[in-house]
Amino acid sequence: MTISEQVPNTSSTSRPVKLVYFAWVRERIGVAQEEMAIPSSVVTVRDLLHWLKDRGEGYEQALQVPDVIRVALDHEHADHDEPIGNAREIGLFPPMTGG
Amino acid sequence: MAIKPVIRVQRDDFDIAREIALATAGHPGIGAVVTFSGICRDDGGSLAALELEHYPGMAERAINEIALQAAERWPLQAITAIHRYGRVEPGENIVLVLAASAHRQAAFDGAAFLMDFLKSKAPFWKKLIAADGSDGGWVDAKESDDEALQRWSAAEGFERS
């Protein structure tokens, strides 16, 4: 979780993360998953949602109300004020409607 | 007693009688089994099917966590939770939860708890396929589903039986 644990590389300001999308979040963004370099300025889940929202029209449409989006870090539900830490897979989806 | 919940996320249908037999086999202390099954309804003829999407990997894990919480809270001797994904038509099964205990109250409560948490915490989403085959959009989450969770935290101070 700490900076000292990060492996030094040529682009130390960002690291690749696998983003996976479901239901209408997936439909609006237009892809089911993608690898993305997340800048180090993105600390919390909330930061990530706002950063992603500015990446294009589909993202804007999917994330226009960030508060309703649910997020999972490596398959675990996460609150919006949690740090994304070293999560390798981040899932973004609407409130769940199973059962 | 530590129990190992049976959790399955699958495209195929399931057989409730078979799941009861499997869950109770080898547990002569079980005196009560409660099952809940959720079935696809046709909404007055307007619905042709549901298309259930899930988050592979996370779905099993999230349901297992809910099951372990139920096992901590009630003296359950068996738990089964099965959730289908893909196309499900009216009359077909969507989900099964099973809770078994020595006595009925823990089995009733355990099954209700599992189902309430599964609806709001397990990563599944339902899309409506209208009777004419068109996309009927995604089912909206209900506030009542979140409210259903509240009663379990409100009851937290209650004596376990």
Side-chain angles (χ1 to χ4, degrees), chain B residues 54-149:
Chain B
H54 75 297
Y55 188 165
M58 181 176 175
E60 294 85 349
R61 184 169 170 168
I63 299 172
N64 194 54
E65 272 175 31
I66 297 162
L68 293 176
Q69 285 175 32
E72 262 182 36
R73 229 166 137 157
W74 291 279
L76 302 175
Q77 297 184 42
I79 295 174
T80 302
I82 303 172
H83 205 303
R84 293 180 65 193
Y85 61 87
R87 185 183 170 96
V88 177
E89 297 186 357
E92 287 187 56
N93 292 317
I94 298 172
V95 63
L96 170 73
V97 301
L98 176 156
S101 188
H103 302 288
R104 70 183 183 284
Q105 200 58 50
F108 275 127
D109 290 349
F113 173 94
L114 281 165
M115 201 53 219
D116 283 351
F117 275 78
L118 197 146
K119 280 196 90 83
S120 297
K121 300 288 183 193
F124 289 86
W125 302 272
K126 291 192 188 102
K127 172 168 264 196
L128 305 167
I129 310 296
D132 64 3
S134 65
D135 181 338
W138 295 94
V139 171
D140 278 326
K142 294 192 194 81
E143 255 177 58
S144 58
D145 288 339
D146 275 337
E147 285 161 11
L149 301 189

Side-chain angles (χ1 to χ4, degrees), chain A residues 25-40:
Chain A
V25 172
R26 169 179 55 73
E27 287 180 344
R28 291 176 191 177
I29 289 175
V31 293
Q33 61 179 67
E34 59 188 331
E35 286 271 330
M36 213 176 260
I38 311 285
S40 56

